[in-house]
Amino acid sequence: MALYTEAAARACLRNKDGKRVFYLGKDDRLTDAAKDFLRENHVEILPAEQARPTGFRTLFGATLTEKPEHMTHLNSEILVMKDHPRIQFRGEIDSLEAEILLAQKDAAAEGYEAVCKDLEEILGFVRRLIRCDVLGEPLPAMTLCGLTEKELRERSHNPAKYYGEPHFMPDYQMPRALLSCNRVRTAVRRTELACYRAFRDENGNPTRLDLIRGLNRLSSLLWIMMIRIKANQYGGKSHGTRP
């Protein structure tokens, strides 16, 4: 039996006939927050059995009754090769989530509870990207950790003005929470490149600029977090550079 929280329900939304639906197993349950989310967003709850397709289409026109091991789902109806650019993009998202969780662990060990909280919000944002990809939804206007897209860009470019701390090069003597946020930032950059490869036309023009821009601003947020940790604006047991 699975218990779906609101975050899990958001991540498991599917598309059926152009509408968002949620497939719920016979013995599975929803938290009250998950129920409220589905109801407020007019998401229909369907039996999990209905999620099982009777056949699959491929991008090269074939129809398959079973999923080959070398293929995977682009969506509920279409199969693609596992090295398809959009599948590679989803793989980078998966890796990015793993880096965020490890960064939270490191931040918690050093007493940076506020960093853990911000990383949790970032994790929710990253998981939303998958839904936007699978369901073809636009990424909503961003406000992350209290900052708009414009503010994220401005503050990351001028940290001394806003946080009293100039740009810097990371050093191994700095708090592990800072270095872990830096790893997350580099993972965001890799994910952004994978996103561009997944969503571009034959002329190289991006077809999902919203996702690319969202990842770019997320990278800015991670840099801001690093600046704030170095400037001792996050609390924690470790401050600044260790002796």
Side-chain angles (χ1 to χ4, degrees), residues 4 12 14 16 21-30 38 43-53:
Y4 287 91
C12 293
R14 296 295 181 264
K16 181 179 181 181
V21 298
F22 180 84
Y23 292 105
L24 187 67
K26 180 180 178 181
D27 298 321
D28 295 340
R29 298 292 182 268
L30 296 163
L38 295 173
V43 177
E44 185 178 2
I45 301 175
L46 300 175
E49 292 76 14
Q50 295 187 21
R52 300 175 185 141

Side-chain angles (χ1 to χ4, degrees), residues 6 10 46 84 93 118 128 130 135 157 174 181 186 191 201:
E6 179 182 347
R10 287 175 179 271
L46 300 175
H84 188 281
I93 289 284
D118 284 351
R128 191 182 310 154
I130 288 291
L135 300 180
H157 286 183
M174 293 175 180
C181 284
T186 62
T191 306
D201 62 22

